[in-house]
Amino acid sequence: MGKPQIVILGAGYGGMITTVRLTKDLSAEEADITLVNKHNYHYQTTWLHEAAAGTIHHDRTRMLIKNVINNKRINFVQDSVRSVDRENKKVILKNGELDYDYLVLALGFESNTFGIKGLEEYAFAIRSVNTARRIREHIEYKFASYNNDPDAKESDLTIVVGGAGLSGIEFIGELVDRVPELCKEYDIDPAKVKIIDVEGLPIVLPPFERDLAEYAQKYLEDKGVVFRLGTFIKEATPDGVLVQKKDAEEMEEIKAGTVVWTGGVKANHIVADSGFATNRGKIQVNKDLRAPDDDHVFAVGDVAVFFPKEGERPYPPTAQIAVQEGETAAKNLTHLIKGEDTEPFVYKQRGTVASLGDKEGIGVVFDKKLKGKPAATMKKIIDDRYLLELGGVGLMLKKGKLKLL
Ligand code: FAD
Ligand code: NAD
């Protein structure tokens, strides 16, 4: 019998950490490891709102995979995964097939539009380097055309954000830094620019304690952001959005040149399409992160859902969890290959921080509440910590944020 073939699908947080850890834990004699990703680069999804607003260049969010992994140990395949043929233990790619003994599913998230009319066609979503780049270019185009295009309207300078969860609020935090620069660059009166957030719930940032969420809301309102709370986006159109206040009968139109949907995420559709047992599209993994219906398959990150205890809420889809699941999946693969028992996933909750642009933020870290600059600095420390784990001091110094403080 040959060496076990481990195939990892997706080079996001979960897939990269699984790969890097496996190279350290298993020798070349013990297993062959293949990593598949549709691009030749890994990106920091947690920085995409910055690239989308244009406060950082999109190249800062990404790095070539070959520069991070051990190329002597890892067979990197740049291709698009189409499906998994579990019966024959094969992965079907756009340009071929791969056999596996053990599979790690780490294909990440997709934007969830909940079937709302027009969102796919007329709204942007912050999903990948390319979608973030498109948003930045679109906003810049709207500003650049305003004084040159005779048909330009003031509503072309309105940006509507759907949802006031962490993605929506962090994106708006970047926009309030960026819009004054754009106004200066394109000779636009800042009073003409509107940033409107539409959120179905009566509050912003539901995961946070109210004093922190209200701090964030007030900070953004003081910068001119308008919150339409208790109001749902019902449709996106070429001219903006149709919204409806809770209990109102009428819909209202908000005209906007840009609509960015941050109303929710779901697991990559490939998981459910490949016939895995799913809970709302995600694999409800066992304690050791294996699929309940397939002992040879692990799922990590946003394609997995982990319930700490029966009856409790599952962990939310975050990079923090994807990284820790990647560490456990790598350990458990090593255990299986060495003929040992697997270990349960134990999540170490270190806290949550939301940035509000470069210098502001809110958060809770090890049960301590942070507001303002300390929160913004903590967010950068968290970002850099990941780079350190992924690629050591060299990667942290090259790509990290703290050196810019
Ligand atoms: P992903 O990071 O989505 O990676 C999936 C990988 O699979 C990608 O490289 C993708 O290109 C690849 N892929 C997808 N489909 C295919 C295919 N068919 N074939 C081949 N490759 C494929 N979480 C936090 O903890 N902290 C934060 O500060 C934070 N900020 C965020 C900010 C924004 C704007 C967003 C949108 C999310 C944020 N999150 C944050 C959530 C976090 O980004 C996700 O939970 C995390 O990215 C999930 O990691 P993952 O490894 O499961 O998948
Ligand atoms: P989310 O699901 O957390 O928030 C979506 C928001 O959109 C909710 O408040 C919801 O009420 C609202 N919404 C849904 N439908 C709507 C409609 N029709 N009209 C108006 N509002 C509507 O999604 P997200 O913010 O993209 O976050 C996804 C995951 O990524 C979460 O687990 C989050 O914790 C994580 N994340 C973490 C960070 C961080 O740690 N700094 C940053 C971004 C995202």
Side-chain angles (χ1 to χ4, degrees), residues 132-317:
R133 177 156 56 180
R134 235 177 278 145
I135 295 171
R136 189 203 74 214
E137 285 167 357
H138 176 84
I139 293 174
E140 265 192 46
Y141 176 75
K142 290 287 169 191
F143 277 70
S145 323
Y146 185 69
N147 283 326
N148 298 309
D149 179 353
D151 295 330
K153 306 174 288 301
E154 202 162 306
S155 61
D156 288 346
L157 300 175
T158 297
I159 302 168
V160 165
V161 177
L166 279 141
S167 298
I169 293 292
E170 287 200 319
F171 176 56
I172 294 174
E174 298 302 317
L175 282 179
V176 300
D177 280 359
R178 178 70 178 139
V179 162
E181 289 171 5
L182 286 172
C183 287
K184 214 166 154 194
E185 193 171 340
Y186 296 108
D187 298 322
I188 289 170
D189 173 3
K192 291 184 173 169
V193 181
K194 291 193 183 74
I195 301 172
I196 302 172
D197 183 275
V198 182
E199 165 58 55
L201 296 173
I203 54 169
V204 305
L205 290 172
F208 279 101
E209 285 184 36
R210 285 308 86 204
D211 58 329
L212 291 176
E214 281 159 13
Y215 176 92
Q217 185 176 344
K218 179 160 185 325
Y219 169 77
L220 296 173
E221 282 173 340
D222 287 348
K223 298 268 178 187
V225 176
V226 172
F227 284 94
R228 302 286 307 267
L229 302 180
T231 304
F232 291 89
I233 291 190
K234 291 289 183 181
E235 187 176 338
T237 69
D239 299 322
V241 285
L242 299 179
V243 303
Q244 191 169 33
K245 230 176 144 47
K246 195 167 175 279
D247 302 329
E249 279 179 20
E250 300 290 309
M251 289 218 261
E252 182 197 335
E253 183 181 27
I254 303 177
K255 287 194 186 294
T258 308
V259 178
V260 178
W261 174 248
T262 63
V265 294
K266 61 183 178 183
N268 192 313
H269 68 280
I270 290 171
V271 168
D273 291 357
S274 297
F276 288 99
T278 53
N279 176 343
R280 295 184 184 187
K282 298 182 173 200
I283 296 187
Q284 187 176 332
V285 285
N286 292 337
K287 295 287 171 221
D288 66 0
L289 302 181
R290 278 188 282 181
D293 53 348
D294 197 327
D295 261 1
H296 295 90
V297 176
F298 287 81
V300 298
D302 284 10
V303 295
V305 61
F306 187 93
F307 286 79
K309 284 199 187 105
E310 219 178 290
E312 280 186 13
R313 286 169 69 85
Y315 294 138

Side-chain angles (χ1 to χ4, degrees), residues 8-17 36-39 41-50 52 65 77-83 92-94 105-110 125-129 166-168 170-171 262 265 268-270 282 300-304 316-323 325 347 351-355 379 382-383 386:
I8 299 151
L9 304 182
Y13 294 89
M16 286 300 278
I17 291 295
V36 184
N37 198 59
K38 62 175 154 191
H39 303 116
Y41 56 84
H42 162 65
Y43 54 87
Q44 303 260 78
T45 313
T46 58
W47 298 6
L48 289 181
H49 54 289
E50 297 167 62
I65 290 170
V77 176
Q78 185 186 344
D79 208 337
S80 244
V81 177
R82 292 286 200 235
S83 62
I92 315 303
L93 305 171
K94 187 175 169 203
L105 292 166
L107 290 166
F109 70 96
E110 294 173 358
I126 307 174
R127 165 66 196 94
S128 62
V129 171
L166 279 141
S167 298
E170 287 200 319
F171 176 56
T262 63
V265 294
N268 192 313
H269 68 280
I270 290 171
K282 298 182 173 200
V300 298
D302 284 10
V303 295
T318 66
Q320 190 182 171
I321 291 173
V323 165
E325 288 179 342
Y347 173 45
T352 305
V353 182
S355 60
K379 186 87 198 288
I382 295 167
D383 290 341
Y386 167 69

